[in-house]
Amino acid sequence: MNVVTKGCGILLAAFTTLAVLPGCKEKELQATGSAGSAAKAKAASERVFRHHSETVLYADKEGNGASLCTENEDGKMVWADEALTGDEIVLFVDVDTGKPDEKKAIRLFANGKEEEMDFVRVLYFGKEYWTLPIFITNQKDASSIPAVIEEDSYNYSSTDLVNAKTTKITAGTFVAWVENIDVDGMAFVKILTYDWNTPYGKEGYVKKDVISRDSHDVLRAQVAQAMLRMKDLKPFVRETVMDAMLAKFEADDRDR
């Protein structure tokens, strides 16, 4: 994991001391174990998986990251934690098929609501979870790189700029950097963005001068995102916390 991931563990711990993170009520439903037939367990044990580094894409307007679930004793998925957007996450990929370890399962919410959803197995900070395929990337042959949009710009649907559909992409949006692309002599970057209807991210293209994959730029955006959770803090307190945390992360990075 890079400095961004390292920093986020500290970041989340620090925020916990200032505010209750969303979803805590759902922790009451956290799993203590998994259930399943012996046949399914045997089949799963015979499969071999490799770990593949990917990027977390999802965040809501309140600054909450991608939900991570575990299975309860009834085999239903319950909220266990969340992955901060812009972080790296490990995807389990089948060595033989090259496909992620996916399955359909019932999602059990804190209010008792149940819904069948698609899940994919991941590893986050050394722990196994299940999350939604729309929340993360899957680049198969090459790992994506967490990146952030630094100024309001446009996301092009293709490299045919004349006929491409364009959507506004705002500063602070987390994306996955896939590769550098030359488009009509201009420097572009192929990216993946969060999309509710597109598992593992929607492809797009942005000008290279509006995007950064520098770990400190990503971290600053993550701190700003997390600050959305502390709306009741006075502005000078929020600024002081943000400045102090960024200074610590940068100092830790220099000492590595």
Side-chain angles (χ1 to χ4, degrees), residues 56-169:
V56 180
L57 295 176
Y58 176 78
D60 65 18
K61 294 181 180 180
E62 301 299 320
N64 306 314
S67 297
L68 302 174
C69 296
T70 53
E71 292 181 278
N72 67 9
E73 294 179 351
D74 297 322
K76 297 177 180 179
M77 296 292 182
V78 294
W79 187 94
D81 206 339
E82 68 175 67
L84 202 63
T85 314
D87 244 355
E88 292 179 1
I89 197 165
V90 175
L91 187 64
F92 283 81
V93 178
D94 191 300
V95 171
D96 294 327
T97 65
K99 296 180 179 179
D101 188 16
E102 299 176 320
K103 70 176 176 179
K104 286 188 177 293
I106 298 297
R107 170 76 156 88
L108 176 62
F109 294 88
N111 61 5
K113 177 184 174 182
E114 295 186 2
E115 182 179 354
E116 185 177 67
M117 309 176 79
D118 293 318
F119 288 90
V120 61
R121 188 159 63 109
V122 295
L123 191 70
Y124 189 65
F125 281 93
K127 295 183 179 180
E128 287 190 23
Y129 300 99
W130 293 87
T131 192
L132 304 187
I134 57 174
F135 287 169
I136 63 175
T137 63
N138 172 27
Q139 278 299 284
K140 299 179 182 178
D141 298 325
S143 295
S144 62
I145 301 173
V148 63
I149 300 299
E150 294 194 293
E151 61 182 79
D152 293 351
S153 185
Y154 291 96
N155 183 13
Y156 294 82
S157 62
S158 76
T159 55
D160 180 3
L161 303 185
V162 175
N163 298 307
K165 293 182 179 179
T166 58
T167 54
K168 290 184 178 180
I169 189 165

Side-chain angles (χ1 to χ4, degrees), residues 171-191:
T173 301
F174 292 98
V175 302
W177 181 306
V178 179
E179 62 178 329
N180 295 314
I181 297 288
D182 182 88
V183 182
D184 298 332
M186 296 180 290
F188 271 71
V189 176
K190 181 180 178 180
I191 62 171

Side-chain angles (χ1 to χ4, degrees), residues 36-49:
S37 68
K40 287 184 178 180
K42 183 177 185 297
S45 66
E46 292 175 349
R47 298 171 64 191
V48 178
F49 295 93

